[in-house]
Amino acid sequence: DRLRQLLDNLFDNAVAHAGPDVTITVGDLPDGGFYVADDGPGVPADERESVFEFGQSLAPGTTGFGLAIVGRIVESHGWSIRLVDSDDGGARFEIRC
């Protein structure tokens, strides 16, 4: 259930920031874990850590809870998460288990 919520929140985040025509890709990481990437506008490097804090959002009209919940789910499982640029210039969330 928690993994489903993590994925739902990442998918919802992509749609909130890039619109309904966003392309989302999920794949394996070579060193274990998986990633969720999109072709949206991405996240500026200086704001990548703050998006996992409650109430922080780059999209108007959103709560800023989605990625904070993702961060808590990752943390509660002893995993790690890293936010980088996707190959298409959007956001790529790398979750290592």
Side-chain angles (χ1 to χ4, degrees), residues 2-79:
R2 301 290 288 170
L3 179 58
R4 183 177 299 126
Q5 183 177 15
L6 180 147
L7 292 171
D8 284 346
N9 286 9
L10 290 176
F11 298 161
D12 288 346
N13 184 72
V15 172
H17 290 275
D21 294 329
V22 66
T23 299
I24 301 169
T25 306
V26 178
D28 293 324
L29 292 172
D31 58 348
F34 64 96
Y35 69 85
V36 176
D38 65 56
D39 63 353
V43 178
D46 62 339
E47 297 184 32
R48 291 182 182 161
E49 290 299 318
S50 68
V51 298
F52 296 107
E53 298 173 12
F54 281 98
Q56 297 296 316
S57 178
L58 302 177
T62 60
T63 63
F65 290 165
L67 292 181
I69 292 169
V70 166
R72 296 316 177 273
I73 292 170
V74 166
E75 184 179 289
S76 71
H77 283 82
W79 302 341

